[in-house]
Amino acid sequence: MMTHAAYDCDVLVIGGGIVGLSTAYALTRAAPGTRVTVLEKERGPARHQTGRNSGVIHSGIYYRPGSLKARYALRGSAELADFCAEHEISHATTGKLIVATERSELPRLHALVQRGREHGLPVRELGPAQISEHEPEVRGLAAIRVGTTGVCDFTAVATRFATEVTAAGGIVRYGAEVTAVDRRPWGVAVRTADGLVVRARVLVNCAGLHCDRVARLAGDDPGVRIVPFRGEYYALARPELVRGLVYPVPDPAFPFLGVHLTRGFDGSVHVGPNAVPALAREGYTWPRVRPAELLSTLSWPGTWQIARRHWRYGAGEVHRSLSRSAFTRAVQRLLPAVTEDDLRPSPAGVRAQAVLKDGTLVDDFLIREAPHTVHVLNAPSPAATACLPIGREVARLALRRARGTGWKPPAVESGHCV
């Protein structure tokens, strides 16, 4: 067994998004003095899913009672608002409308009312006139208002986590892409692209779009493949058309919430996202293609199962991606006054969607353990909302794994990791 001094750190976190940094933050709080290192391949935090979403603090109304998404979003939304207030991070609790525009959506809307009440959320049913009171330009047959939904600056939250980690003696290294993982009886050794080697008791994989690849580097079979879906956004040139947050009734067959309208903490309004297959893990535009990553997606049997089952839905999404007029018509179902000229292109995001071999889209957060490792294998929306409870749970599992190497939580320990 290696001595304490031979380890560069106790827990090594791969990934500097909001989940990885929340995990590192939770580790420093749960066991002060624990030596924590975070490796992030980009030059700063939150460069992918965290910093490229609609910035919504979700209430938890959509998620199945008892699921990790429901439990962590319900708890995490309140905790995140408190964290933002404590650290003076831009945020607002705005509430949102979920609007049915067709009669076929009314049963699903009613089911959401029941689910919201099961969760103990403040849910109010609205008719057409009441919709107009909240959102004068929005049209629908019926809607529900969820009062606990809000918006915040998730990039600022992730950056604050990093600040707190370094203040507690941890290390956050940017520009450190992991290229090799060597698991040994005593722990793991990780090598980065620039030749840095970090030895740790436990590895925590929060690599988001690359989490399945990192799991395989560690010698573990993740049992899933990340299939990337690009979400394309527009900024509304007339933000006065929308007062708050407006969503369609989601289709329960898909994990995507549909094109929605989001007034951010800065007063701008974003419209989107759609959901189209990305041709690279970080494929933020159609021309962005990485052949090896595309081959990885296409060689996974689950990808073809998705295509076979949902090709009509996918074709519609691709059509709206390639045609701004088609996208505009989709938005007009909620916001009739919008025109094609009102939509200005905005940066896209890519959702890291875990897919099983049989084509099942993993619907809940997925965290798996292996010797000396904890892998976060599915953490799309509402992971940013739920980052604090997710971080605590992953930290708990990592500390349990660390104790298995003979490590004991220090009372207070000086010194840094690497």
Side-chain angles (χ1 to χ4, degrees), residues 59-77 115 119 364-365 382 386:
S59 65
I61 191 172
Y62 300 113
Y63 313 117
R64 176 175 49 83
S67 65
L68 291 179
K69 281 188 176 182
R71 287 162 45 201
Y72 290 171
L74 288 165
R75 190 183 314 155
S77 59
R115 178 165 287 185
H119 289 324
D364 207 356
F365 299 141

Side-chain angles (χ1 to χ4, degrees), residues 249-272:
V249 179
D251 185 336
F254 302 96
F256 313 109
L257 297 178
V259 171
H260 47 270
L261 312 167
T262 306
R263 176 173 284 274
F265 56 86
D266 60 356
S268 64
V269 174
H270 279 80
V271 184

Side-chain angles (χ1 to χ4, degrees), residues 89-294:
I89 295 171
S90 296
H91 72 291
T93 301
T94 59
K96 78 174 174 184
L97 299 186
I98 304 174
V99 181
T101 58
E102 298 178 2
R103 287 195 173 276
S104 61
E105 297 172 337
L106 294 176
R108 300 206 305 269
L109 186 69
H110 182 69
L112 282 178
V113 173
Q114 299 303 113
R115 178 165 287 185
R117 289 172 178 164
E118 285 183 63
H119 289 324
L121 294 170
V123 179
R124 183 183 170 208
E125 298 181 74
L126 307 177
Q130 294 163 310
I131 293 172
S132 295
E133 290 175 9
H134 289 279
E135 292 285 352
E137 299 295 336
V138 170
R139 298 292 179 268
L141 300 177
I144 58 177
R145 186 174 190 277
V146 188
T148 52
T149 306
V151 291
C152 81
D153 185 345
F154 285 129
T155 297
V157 173
T159 301
R160 186 68 201 193
F161 286 151
T163 299
E164 296 291 316
V165 169
T166 55
I171 294 292
V172 180
R173 286 188 177 273
Y174 299 114
E177 181 177 3
V178 171
T179 56
V181 179
D182 185 12
R183 182 160 46 201
R184 300 291 183 88
W186 46 262
V188 293
V190 167
R191 182 183 297 276
T192 66
D194 61 0
L196 175 71
V197 175
V198 184
R199 295 163 298 177
R201 297 175 185 274
V202 177
L203 169 67
V204 174
N205 169 15
C206 295
L209 287 159
H210 302 278
C211 63
D212 57 337
R213 180 181 67 83
V214 170
R216 291 193 296 273
L217 283 178
D220 296 321
D221 177 7
V224 298
R225 184 69 51 88
I226 294 299
V227 176
F229 288 89
R230 183 171 62 258
E232 295 161 333
Y233 291 90
Y234 289 91
L236 197 60
R238 291 189 289 161
E240 65 273 12
L241 293 177
V242 179
R243 290 180 175 178
L245 310 181
V246 184
Y247 281 66
V249 179
D251 185 336
F254 302 96
F256 313 109
L257 297 178
V259 171
H260 47 270
L261 312 167
T262 306
R263 176 173 284 274
F265 56 86
D266 60 356
S268 64
V269 174
H270 279 80
V271 184
N274 59 357
V276 297
L279 305 182
R281 297 287 177 111
E282 297 165 17
Y284 296 114
T285 61
W286 280 112
R288 175 78 165 180
V289 181
R290 287 189 172 174
E293 293 177 359
L294 180 58

